[in-house]
């Protein structure tokens, strides 16, 4: 369609506009992708520290120091420790954002990982912790780092998981640490890998899934071709990889039997913050994830209680994420980042108010509509409530004592979580959980009447009987919706190992099982299901097959916290939206006001002396953007009672002139006055003008009559003023007015368009080529109509390239050519008497002689017997008489009054090349 | 000589030209209006019949974002209406809205009737305002017909049940109806971008198909770019970025953050487009 064929010409303006748009778009994209100039500098360094129990082992640590680029004097430092299996590279984002906040940040790869030397001692106080002390010494010696005393740098320690434990243990071992932010980390490795959820002293159940991931992650044997460049000369035992021998031995011990020796338990305890919590004096911000089957919320709880016991400031925050859930939704990441910065700013940098000791957590609200990720809502409470909540909801659960079978080797096993896969949070929450028939007992509540905001560790009582005297059980809490779909919150299960059990249930003791802490809203109408299973793939269960009988207590205690919703920073957008809407409304109102004021002024005639003249065109000029001048300069007047013909060859500028008169095109210069009003687009005075410009324009799906009616409706004028009958009579379409205009012939459309122009009998009628497409009788009729129309003080302006038409229709004519007026005035004056005569004579040479003697201006041959004679004032009668006297027979004498003469004389023979105007 | 206060013909008032009702009837008589609205009414019925052919056996794939909605579509009238909205939101509604808004001025230009309206004279800004309001009205009616017929047909066939989704708990029928209306409303707001683009193009070209197609193409282009995560934060500026945010209305509590941003983006784009359309149209030479 014309969509493609009308590609605009590349004028200078368009090229400029397109370039501007291009540059803007390119700039915007560039601004988005261009890397910002870093506000910090970074420097890699291999730092050698003295480590080991005797402080006599040299360990080289691969480190990087970030320094703020624009710093005033000395800056406080942050030591960033990575998670298990990571390197300093994993910390670059955190390090950069802390450096931007004005901290010197030291990241390093822990001993036994990456390019650093040494072995993995699992955060041994004699090794990894001592390494970190060496780094504190190193920091204190740097000239850029602020110090509290000689050799005591102003430093905070931040780390997650393995790094989090390091932060806790370093603060417990070295009082130079000023603040710590440990996240998703452990309290006691022996309870982490051997958890026991029942109130008994029996050793817990080996968490084989995570232990395998943990040990395997230590890079047991570096794969060929990987980037982890183990320092040369290191003797790598394929069974232990870079683990230190004692750690490796402990793992093999526990992983084989699930029943570790005391030495192993001692080693795990030594590699834990628990023993030294009481010595921590550095204010501690504990961040723990609620979707973490490795280090669940209870670890942070134990750490918080241990540190707070000595009066050290402790703050706890939970987020929806962790070793299973990852970094969590953006809102949680933002909150954690904010809390960390606030903590460090106050306790390390000494800026900002002391963080309040409120407790913040988040709860899953649903899936994000955009990326199918999780959406959480943040909540806060005045103080950390621990795992028992601020309130308790008691739910009755029911179910008979049930026998459940333990399969040999725990296979097949129930599935609750997928350790180490870092699976999608949404999958974990919508449940990978699956129980094996025959291997689990269920105890269920009635549908809850109102939503319960669970936050903490639910507790339930349990009795069990076992023929072997022992039982390994896994207690889980499902949220079951109305349709029966069950959800195991975060895939968390409570492993229980009971010993000394009787063979029958009657003799068994009641044990209290503390389920893992969860944050969940149990909606009204949902039921709560407690499942006791014999297997779980994440844990090691007994090799021997056995059948237990279990019976849960009748009551489930759900700790609840009803926190205050944290104001969502996104709420600002609501105000932005409201602001935008108000601005639009105000802008619109202002615009309307201005327009209304403007339109009032349009009603006053601008040139009062022309108030009674239908049309005055003065000095009209129209030049297009591409330099083409359609109308050079045109001035003429149409008075009442006149039928004025705008005469000119195609492309003379007639249509452009009429377009200006209709307010469709803006003139470059000059003006058109209709009844004294200057014409601008939409001038109200246009309502006194009826027009046909550049052919008819009708709605093709309406009939002729409907088109006229639709047009008149659009004028908004009284129905009776339209004079439909008169207009239809002029159109002369008969019954065809009830046919759709798309079936009309060209002539029918033309007549309908003229009728439309005459609707309401406008005082000035402007018709562009009105006889186009009409047959001769219709043309004759049209002439009569137009002449009659101009009576009663109305006026008509007709444009035409046909001279005969103008001569026969118009009282006045304006002849234009190449955008200029060539002549104007009454038709008779313009046409005038032609000075020449066409003669047809019997003897042409004789006639020429006679004529020469008469003194006419010129004689031209016109065919074999014709002559065209410019009379030069000689009367025709005298010419004929002279010829006859000379014996020349005169067949015909035709006075040359034809318009062609006049027209061609005015505009010149050749009007080609003037272009379409 | 007495100078008439009103420069126009007797009975002529600029503010009375092209009455809204006249424009409504002008458009109502057009085949494309009737077809567009008719299809909106028929679509839910077609979907309903299609579900009747469900043999219940095939489980091919999860069907992406709509997978869960397909499974739930036959669970009640609310879910059925929701499904109808969800499948239309991506393309069908876009085309219909682009048709109503892009074609309204461009088709007058292509018929040649635009210059006669302007010679009435209907003030240019008024012409655009009336045309825009009527086009938006028809778009709203299309959305309402789709929702209403879907709700009615679905309720008659599947009953009046809570609004279910896999992202959150079931929502009681009364509240569910409000959510459904909210979703329809939000879709209407996002369609303002299409309305803006199509209307702007419609005032710049005489080719109705060019305006409609151009707006749809820009929408599709934006949707494609939105899939490219490498663009990062720039994607937030894309007009289609928040077009799926209505799903936030299915969760409890409602996730309104993206809805607000989506509405903001849509309104801003629409106002920019309309503003430019008015600015350009009131100044340009009408060459049609």
């Amino acid at each position: 369609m014309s969509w493609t064929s009308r590609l605009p010409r590349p004028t200078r303006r368009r090229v400029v506009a397109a370039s501007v748009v291009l540059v803007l778009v390119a700039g915007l994209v560039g601004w988005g992708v261009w890397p910002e100039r870093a506000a910090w500098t970074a420097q890699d360094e291999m730092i050698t520290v003295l480590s080991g129990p005797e402080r006599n082992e040299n360990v080289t640590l691969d480190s990087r120091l970030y320094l703020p680029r624009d710093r005033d004097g000395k800056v406080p430092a942050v030591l960033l420790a990575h998670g298990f299996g990571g390197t300093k590279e994993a910390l670059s984002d955190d390090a950069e954002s802390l450096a931007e906040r004005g901290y010197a940040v030291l990241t390093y790869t822990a001993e036994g990982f990456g390019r650093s030397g040494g072995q993995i001692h699992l955060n041994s106080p004699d090794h990894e912790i001592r390494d970190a002390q060496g780094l504190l010494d190193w920091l204190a010696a740097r000239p850029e780092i602020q110090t509290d005393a000689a050799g005591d740098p102003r430093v905070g320690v931040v780390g997650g998981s393995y790094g989090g434990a390091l932060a806790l243990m370093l603060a417990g071992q070295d009082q130079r640490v000023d603040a710590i932010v440990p996240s998703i980390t452990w309290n006691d490795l022996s309870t982490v890998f051997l958890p026991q959820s029942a109130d008994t002293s029996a050793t817990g159940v080996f968490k084989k899934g995570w232990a395998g991931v943990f040990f395997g992650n230590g890079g047991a044997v570096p794969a060929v071709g990987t980037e982890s460049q183990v320092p040369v000369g290191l003797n790598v035992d394929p069974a232990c990889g870079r683990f230190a021998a004692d750690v490796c031995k402990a793992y093999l011990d526990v992983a084989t039997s699930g029943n570790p020796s005391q030495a192993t338990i001692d080693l795990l305890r030594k590699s834990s913050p628990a023993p030294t919590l009481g010595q921590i004096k550095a204010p501690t911000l504990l961040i723990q994830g609620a979707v973490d089957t490795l280090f669940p919320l209870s670890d942070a709880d134990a750490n918080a209680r241990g540190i707070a016991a000595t009066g050290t400031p402790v703050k706890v925050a939970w987020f929806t994420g962790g070793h299973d859930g990852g970094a969590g939704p953006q809102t949680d990441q933002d909150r954690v980042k904010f809390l960390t910065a606030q903590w460090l700013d106050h306790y390390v940098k000494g800026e900002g108010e002391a963080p309040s000791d409120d407790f913040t957590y988040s709860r899953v609200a649903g899936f994000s509509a955009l990326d199918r990720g999780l959406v959480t809502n943040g909540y806060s409470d005045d103080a950390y409530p621990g795992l028992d909540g601020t309130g308790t909801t008691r739910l009755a659960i029911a179910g008979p004592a049930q026998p459940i079978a333990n399969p040999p080797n725990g296979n097949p096993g129930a599935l609750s979580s997928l350790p180490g896969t870092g699976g999608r949070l949404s999958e974990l929450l919508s449940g990978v959980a699956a129980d094996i028939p025959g291997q689990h007992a269920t105890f269920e509540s009635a549908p809850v009447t109102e939503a319960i905001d669970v936050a903490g560790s639910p507790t339930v009582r349990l009795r069990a009987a076992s023929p072997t005297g022992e039982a390994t059980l896994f207690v889980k809490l499902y949220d079951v919706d109305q349709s029966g779909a069950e959800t195991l919150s975060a895939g968390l299960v409570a492993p229980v190992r009971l010993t000394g059990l009787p063979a029958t249930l009657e003799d068994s003791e009641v044990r209290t099982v503390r389920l893992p802490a969860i944050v969940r809203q149990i909606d009204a109408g949902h039921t709560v299901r407690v499942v006791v299973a014999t297997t779980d793939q994440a844990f090691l269960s007994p090799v021997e097959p056995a059948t237990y009988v279990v019976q849960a207590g009748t009551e489930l205690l759900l700790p609840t916290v009803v926190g205050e919703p944290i104001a969502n920073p996104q709420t600002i957008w609501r105000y932005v939206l409201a602001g935008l809407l108000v601005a639009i409304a105000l802008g619109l109102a202002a615009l309307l006001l201005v327009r209304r004021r403007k339109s009032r002024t349009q009603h006053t005639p601008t040139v009062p002396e022309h108030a009674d003249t239908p049309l005055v065109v003065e000095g009209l000029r129209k030049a297009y953007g591409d330099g083409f001048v359609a109308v050079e300069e045109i001035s003429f007047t149409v008075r009442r009672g006149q039928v004025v013909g705008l005469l000119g060859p195609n492309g003379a500028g007639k249509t452009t002139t009429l377009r200006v008169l209709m307010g469709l095109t803006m003139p470059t210069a000059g003006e058109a006055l209709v009844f004294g009003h200057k014409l601008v687009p939409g001038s109200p005075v246009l309502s006194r003008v009826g027009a046909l410009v550049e052919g008819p324009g009708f709605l093709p799906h309406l009939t002729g009559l409907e088109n006229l009616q639709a047009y008149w409706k659009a004028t908004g004028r009284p129905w009776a003023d339209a004079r439909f009958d008169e207009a239809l009579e002029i159109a002369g379409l008969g019954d065809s007015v009830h046919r759709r205009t798309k079936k009309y012939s060209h002539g029918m459309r033309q007549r309908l368009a003229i009728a439309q122009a005459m609707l309401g009998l406008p005082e000035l009628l402007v018709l562009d080529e009105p006889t186009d497409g009409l047959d001769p009788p219709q043309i004759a009729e049209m002439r009569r109509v137009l002449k009659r129309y101009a009576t009663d003080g109305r006026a008509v302006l007709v444009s035409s390239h046909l001279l005969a038409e103008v001569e026969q229709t118009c009282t006045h004519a304006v002849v234009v050519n190449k955008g200029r007026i060539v002549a104007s005035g009454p038709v008779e004056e313009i046409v005038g008497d032609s000075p020449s005569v066409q003669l047809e004579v019997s003897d042409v040479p004789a006639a020429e002689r006679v004529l020469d003697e008469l003194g006419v201006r010129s004689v031209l041959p016109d065919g074999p017997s014709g002559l065209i004679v410019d009379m030069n004032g000689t009367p025709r009668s005298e010419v004929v008489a002279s010829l006859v006297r000379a014996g020349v027979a005169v067949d015909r004498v035709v006075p040359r009054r034809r318009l062609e003469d006049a027209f061609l004389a005015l505009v010149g023979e050749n009007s080609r090349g003037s272009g379409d105007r | 000589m007495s100078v008439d206060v009103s420069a126009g013909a007797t009975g002529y008032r600029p503010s009375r030209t092209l009455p809204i009702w006249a424009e409504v009837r002008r458009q109502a008589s057009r085949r494309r209006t009737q077809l567009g609205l008719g299809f909106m009414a028929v679509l839910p019925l077609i979907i309903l019949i299609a579900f009747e052919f469900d043999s219940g056996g095939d489980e091919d794939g999860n069907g992406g974002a709509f997978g869960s909605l397909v499974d739930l579509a036959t669970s009640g009238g609310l879910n059925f209406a929701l499904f109808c909205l969800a499948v239309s939101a991506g393309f069908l509604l876009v085309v219909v809205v682009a048709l109503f808004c892009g074609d309204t001025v461009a088709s007058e230009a292509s018929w040649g009737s635009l210059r006669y309206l302007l010679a009435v004279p209907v003030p240019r800004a008024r012409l655009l305002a009336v045309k825009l309001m009527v086009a938006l009205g028809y778009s709203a009616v299309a959305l309402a017909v789709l929702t209403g017929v879907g709700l009615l047909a679905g309720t008659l066939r599947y009953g009046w049940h809570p609004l279910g989704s896999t992202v959150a708990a079931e929502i009681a029928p009364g509240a569910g109806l409000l959510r459904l209306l909210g979703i329809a409303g939000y879709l209407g707001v996002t369609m303002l971008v299409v309305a803006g683009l199509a209307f702007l193009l419609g005032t710049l070209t005489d080719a109705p198909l060019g305006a409609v197609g151009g707006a749809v193409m820009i929408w599709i282009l934006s949707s494609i770019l939105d899939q490219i995560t490498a663009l990062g934060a720039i994607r937030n500026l894309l007009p289609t970025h928040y077009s799926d945010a209505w799903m936030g209305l299915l969760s409890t509590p409602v996730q309104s953050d993206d809805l607000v941003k989506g509405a903001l983006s849509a309104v801003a784009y629409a106002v920019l487009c309309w503003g430019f359309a008015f600015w350009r149209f009131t100044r340009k030479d009408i060459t049609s």
Side-chain angles (χ1 to χ4, degrees):
Chain A
M1 288 193 73
S2 53
W3 169 251
T4 49
S5 63
R6 279 198 199 173
L7 264 180
R9 271 185 263 186
T11 61
R12 197 172 152 179
R13 248 179 74 187
R14 286 187 177 125
V15 169
V16 167
S19 314
V20 166
V21 168
L22 255 171
V23 166
L24 272 177
V25 169
L28 199 69
V29 171
W31 171 75
V33 247
W34 198 263
E36 284 175 50
R37 179 175 174 270
W40 40 264
T41 55
Q43 189 192 350
D44 285 323
E45 190 158 336
M46 300 298 289
I47 302 174
T48 304
V49 293
L50 271 179
S51 186
E54 312 296 330
R55 283 187 176 271
N56 57 359
E57 299 166 23
N58 271 334
V59 175
T60 313
L61 299 172
D62 179 17
S63 69
R64 179 179 296 166
L65 181 67
Y66 295 79
L67 286 168
R69 196 185 288 275
D70 308 315
R71 56 179 186 275
D72 284 340
K74 301 191 171 199
V75 289
V78 172
L79 183 65
L80 264 187
H82 63 79
F84 198 81
T87 65
K88 63 174 185 178
E89 302 296 337
L91 302 163
S92 53
D93 283 352
D94 291 338
E96 286 164 16
S97 74
L98 280 171
E100 278 164 19
R101 289 191 74 86
Y103 293 95
V105 184
L106 181 63
T107 65
Y108 72 105
T109 305
E111 165 169 12
F113 294 101
R115 295 158 162 247
S116 292
Q119 289 179 305
I120 304 168
H121 297 275
L122 220 52
N123 276 345
S124 160
D126 295 331
H127 295 94
E128 280 86 353
I129 311 304
R130 204 148 273 175
D131 295 346
Q133 288 184 287
L135 292 175
L136 296 188
D137 296 338
W138 184 86
L139 277 174
R142 292 284 303 198
E144 303 91 345
I145 311 293
Q146 192 182 340
T147 50
D148 292 324
D152 178 3
R154 173 68 65 87
V155 66
V157 186
V158 178
S161 192
Y162 194 62
L166 177 118
L168 283 162
M169 295 171 74
L170 180 61
Q173 189 162 319
D174 196 320
Q175 300 305 317
R176 289 179 293 172
V177 176
D178 296 294
I180 53 174
V181 185
S183 56
I184 56 169
T185 193
W186 68 86
N187 170 250
D188 183 342
L189 271 190
S190 67
T191 60
V192 163
F193 285 117
L194 296 160
Q196 169 62 282
S197 301
D199 53 347
T200 164
S201 59
T203 311
V205 186
F206 179 51
K207 201 187 270 182
K208 67 171 181 184
W210 270 116
V213 170
F214 217 8
F215 201 71
N217 223 350
V221 180
V224 179
T226 55
E227 278 180 39
S228 59
Q229 297 167 9
V230 182
V232 228
L234 201 73
N235 195 10
V236 175
D237 174 3
C240 295
R242 298 185 69 181
F243 278 97
D246 54 340
V247 177
C248 180
K249 186 165 160 278
Y251 173 75
L252 294 177
D253 173 35
V254 67
T256 311
S257 65
N259 201 358
S261 67
Q262 192 56 43
T264 301
I265 293 181
D266 287 347
L267 181 134
L268 291 174
R269 269 191 73 72
K270 200 182 161 197
S271 286
S272 301
T276 54
L277 286 177
Q279 296 156 35
I280 295 178
K281 291 288 170 280
T284 306
L285 170 64
L286 284 161
I287 295 163
Q288 200 78 350
V291 190
D292 198 328
T293 55
L294 178 61
F295 306 134
L297 295 175
S298 52
D299 280 81
D301 186 59
N303 284 335
R305 279 185 284 120
I307 299 168
T310 61
T312 303
V314 176
K315 180 172 170 138
V316 179
W318 294 347
F319 70 103
T320 307
H323 283 92
D324 295 280
Q330 192 61 46
T331 47
D332 274 12
Q333 294 181 30
D334 293 345
R335 177 164 56 92
V336 165
K337 211 169 178 178
F338 169 79
L339 289 173
T340 306
Q342 187 193 34
W343 199 260
L344 292 176
D345 283 356
H346 180 74
Y347 289 112
V348 178
K349 205 195 265 178
E351 282 178 6
E353 283 181 33
S356 65
D357 55 356
D358 63 342
F359 160 69
T360 57
Y361 64 104
S362 69
R363 192 170 68 209
V364 176
F367 293 104
S368 162
L370 291 185
D371 56 11
R372 304 295 287 165
L374 274 183
V375 170
T376 55
N377 289 343
Y379 297 90
S380 72
D381 207 22
D382 293 338
Y384 175 57
L387 298 182
D388 295 322
T390 51
T392 305
T393 300
R394 293 167 190 275
L395 267 189
I397 52 171
Q402 294 157 51
I404 49 175
N406 176 47
N409 277 318
N411 192 26
L415 188 63
S416 59
S417 59
L418 301 166
T421 56
R424 284 182 59 180
L425 209 53
S426 51
E427 286 166 7
L428 281 165
L429 285 155
S430 58
V432 292
D435 287 310
I436 314 285
Q439 294 183 20
H440 70 279
T442 57
F443 306 91
E444 195 151 349
S445 77
V448 302
T449 47
E450 56 183 29
I452 307 168
D453 295 334
V454 183
S457 283
T459 50
V460 68
R461 293 183 183 211
L462 184 70
R463 287 199 298 167
S466 165
T468 60
E470 287 195 9
T472 298
L473 300 170
F474 301 94
V475 187
K476 322 176 214 190
L477 187 142
Y478 284 103
D479 178 358
V480 186
D481 72 10
Q482 288 96 333
S483 66
E486 50 180 27
T487 309
L488 179 64
S489 195
L492 289 158
V493 302
V496 173
R497 200 161 81 93
L498 301 174
T499 51
L501 293 176
T504 57
L505 205 57
E506 287 72 33
D507 306 329
S508 67
E509 260 183 273
V510 175
R511 295 288 178 190
T512 300
V513 176
R514 211 173 158 79
L515 291 156
I518 54 170
V519 181
R520 184 175 187 85
Q521 183 173 55
I522 296 169
D523 290 311
H526 287 205
T527 57
V528 177
R529 183 179 294 161
V530 174
V531 168
V532 183
T534 56
T535 54
D536 195 290
Q537 291 186 16
F539 293 86
L540 188 69
S541 31
V543 177
E544 294 300 319
T547 300
Y548 319 127
V549 180
V550 292
Q551 166 77 67
T554 55
E555 203 174 51
L556 175 69
L557 267 62
L558 296 171
T560 57
V561 175
V562 182
E564 284 286 310
I566 296 175
N568 186 341
Q570 304 276 358
T571 340
I572 184 97
W573 293 109
R574 292 178 197 191
Y575 298 107
V576 175
L577 178 63
L580 178 68
L581 292 178
V582 168
I584 289 170
L586 285 180
L588 213 59
L591 216 70
L592 282 177
L593 250 154
V594 169
R595 285 192 65 85
R596 181 157 295 178
R597 188 157 298 169
K598 224 170 156 184
S599 73
R600 244 177 237 149
T601 58
Q602 278 182 9
H603 288 289
T604 350
T606 42
V607 185
E609 66 261 33
H610 291 311
D612 205 37
T613 315
L615 181 64
V616 177
V617 177
E618 281 174 358
L620 197 70
R621 177 184 168 86
K622 176 65 187 177
Y624 286 105
D626 55 2
F628 176 70
V629 182
V631 175
E632 289 280 357
E633 193 191 349
I634 283 183
S635 308
F636 63 92
T637 304
V638 178
R639 296 184 196 287
R640 287 189 188 272
Q642 291 182 347
V643 179
V644 176
L646 194 59
L647 181 64
N650 286 330
K654 304 188 298 283
T655 302
T656 304
T657 308
L658 295 192
R659 284 187 160 279
V660 173
L661 295 188
M662 293 338 295
L664 300 174
T665 301
M666 331 275 170
T668 313
E671 59 186 16
L673 300 169
V674 176
F675 297 106
H677 296 271
K678 189 178 170 184
L679 260 189
V680 289
S683 295
V685 77
L686 276 172
S687 61
R688 295 164 75 177
V689 181
L692 161 65
V693 180
E694 262 198 307
F698 292 114
L699 279 61
H701 55 281
L702 296 184
T703 66
L705 183 59
E706 285 169 344
N707 257 302
L708 293 190
Q709 291 171 340
Y711 171 80
W712 192 254
K713 275 204 196 101
T715 66
R717 291 163 63 185
W719 198 249
D721 288 2
R723 316 271 192 106
F724 282 109
D725 294 340
E726 289 169 51
L728 285 176
E729 197 184 309
I730 288 161
L733 289 170
D735 283 343
S736 289
V737 289
H738 299 298
R739 288 173 61 205
R740 295 189 173 181
T741 49
K742 66 174 151 198
K743 297 189 174 145
Y744 276 21
S745 69
H746 184 56
M748 288 162 81
R749 263 184 229 170
Q750 187 75 8
R751 270 142 49 199
L752 190 67
I754 293 167
Q756 176 178 289
M758 288 181 180
L759 276 183
L761 302 180
E763 290 162 83
L764 174 62
L765 192 60
V766 177
L767 301 176
D768 188 13
E769 309 279 358
T771 54
D772 184 26
L774 303 193
D775 51 30
Q778 290 166 341
I779 292 175
E781 171 65 18
M782 193 56 59
R783 284 181 193 137
R784 277 193 294 280
V785 167
L786 293 184
K787 277 184 171 155
R788 203 167 58 230
Y789 194 87
T791 54
D792 305 338
R794 286 193 287 257
V796 180
L797 175 64
V798 179
S799 87
S800 181
H801 63 285
L802 296 176
L803 314 157
E805 187 173 306
V806 170
E807 193 201 2
Q808 293 174 52
T809 316
C810 302
T811 58
H812 292 70
V814 176
V815 186
V816 286
N817 188 41
K818 294 183 181 170
R820 285 182 189 281
I821 291 196
V822 206
S824 69
V827 168
E828 298 80 29
E829 272 182 27
I830 291 185
V831 172
D833 263 343
S834 172
S836 58
V837 150
Q838 187 185 13
L839 294 176
E840 221 162 90
V841 291
S842 55
D843 184 354
V844 173
E848 284 180 351
R849 272 198 306 281
V850 172
L851 292 169
D852 279 346
E853 286 165 17
L854 274 174
V856 297
R857 188 172 292 142
S858 67
V859 179
L860 295 167
D862 183 25
S865 56
L867 282 172
I868 291 177
V869 186
D870 189 337
M871 305 288 279
N872 198 19
T874 317
R876 282 191 290 269
S877 54
E878 196 184 324
V879 171
V880 174
S882 303
L883 285 172
V884 171
R885 273 201 300 274
V888 180
V890 179
D891 289 336
R892 254 159 44 120
V893 181
V894 183
R896 290 266 296 178
R897 276 203 58 189
R898 284 167 46 192
L899 270 159
E900 277 81 0
D901 266 9
F903 186 53
L904 292 179
L906 288 170
V907 305
E909 294 257 4
N910 192 358
S911 65
R912 272 181 300 170
S914 56
D916 185 8
R917 302 194 183 196
Chain B
M1 182 174 59
S2 72
V3 174
D4 200 348
V5 181
S6 157
T10 45
Y12 171 83
R13 292 257 305 271
S15 58
R16 282 202 195 146
T17 54
L18 193 60
I20 288 196
W21 196 239
E23 171 65 11
V24 169
R25 294 181 55 174
R26 240 176 135 83
Q27 301 297 331
S29 59
R30 298 186 55 191
R31 190 73 77 212
R32 66 121 172 109
T33 311
Q34 295 158 359
L35 279 178
L37 290 180
F39 189 67
M40 286 286 142
V42 172
L43 179 75
L45 304 178
I46 295 175
I47 295 175
L48 192 81
I49 293 166
F51 276 130
E52 295 302 306
F53 286 105
D54 180 24
S55 53
D58 54 340
E59 284 288 326
D60 47 347
N62 297 324
F66 293 129
S68 58
L69 290 176
V70 177
D71 298 339
L72 291 167
T74 55
S75 67
L78 287 170
N79 269 101
F80 182 76
L82 175 65
F83 179 76
C84 292
L85 282 178
V87 292
S88 314
F91 189 71
L92 185 66
L93 268 180
V94 176
V95 172
V96 170
V97 171
L99 187 67
F100 285 145
C101 295
D103 171 272
T104 180
V105 176
S107 63
E108 298 275 4
S110 73
W111 295 328
S113 49
L114 179 64
R115 56 177 177 269
Y116 292 104
L117 287 179
L118 294 179
V120 159
V122 182
R124 291 189 182 187
R126 180 171 171 83
L127 181 101
L128 281 199
V130 169
K131 289 229 163 244
L132 178 59
M133 276 192 280
V134 171
L136 289 181
Y138 272 110
S139 304
V141 168
L143 188 60
V145 166
L146 180 69
T147 316
V149 174
L151 193 58
L152 191 72
T155 306
L156 289 178
R157 174 67 186 81
Y158 303 115
W160 185 244
H161 297 299
L163 181 65
S165 69
T166 51
V167 298
E170 284 187 344
I171 302 157
L177 180 63
L178 283 181
R179 299 281 184 99
L180 183 73
L181 294 180
I183 289 170
Y186 180 73
L187 283 180
V189 172
T190 56
M191 287 301 130
L192 289 180
V193 179
V194 185
L197 282 172
F199 195 75
L200 172 60
L201 292 177
T203 58
L204 296 181
T205 175
D206 300 350
L209 275 184
V212 177
V216 174
M217 274 200 298
I218 291 175
W219 181 268
I220 291 174
L221 175 71
S222 168
S223 302
I224 291 172
L225 288 179
D226 197 31
Q227 304 289 319
I228 301 169
T229 44
L231 287 174
I234 292 178
R235 291 192 306 151
N236 293 346
L237 295 176
L238 291 173
T240 56
H241 184 68
Y242 296 101
S243 58
D244 283 341
W246 55 266
M247 290 187 196
L249 282 164
L250 292 176
S251 71
T252 307
V254 170
Q255 300 163 25
S256 54
D257 297 338
D258 285 336
L259 293 176
V260 171
K261 285 191 227 164
L264 187 67
S265 152
V267 169
Y269 272 109
V271 167
L272 276 182
C273 287
W274 291 332
F276 184 65
F278 273 75
W279 183 82
R280 188 80 194 87
F281 190 77
T282 47
R283 280 161 183 75
K284 77 166 190 169
D285 288 343
I286 306 295
T287 52
S288 64

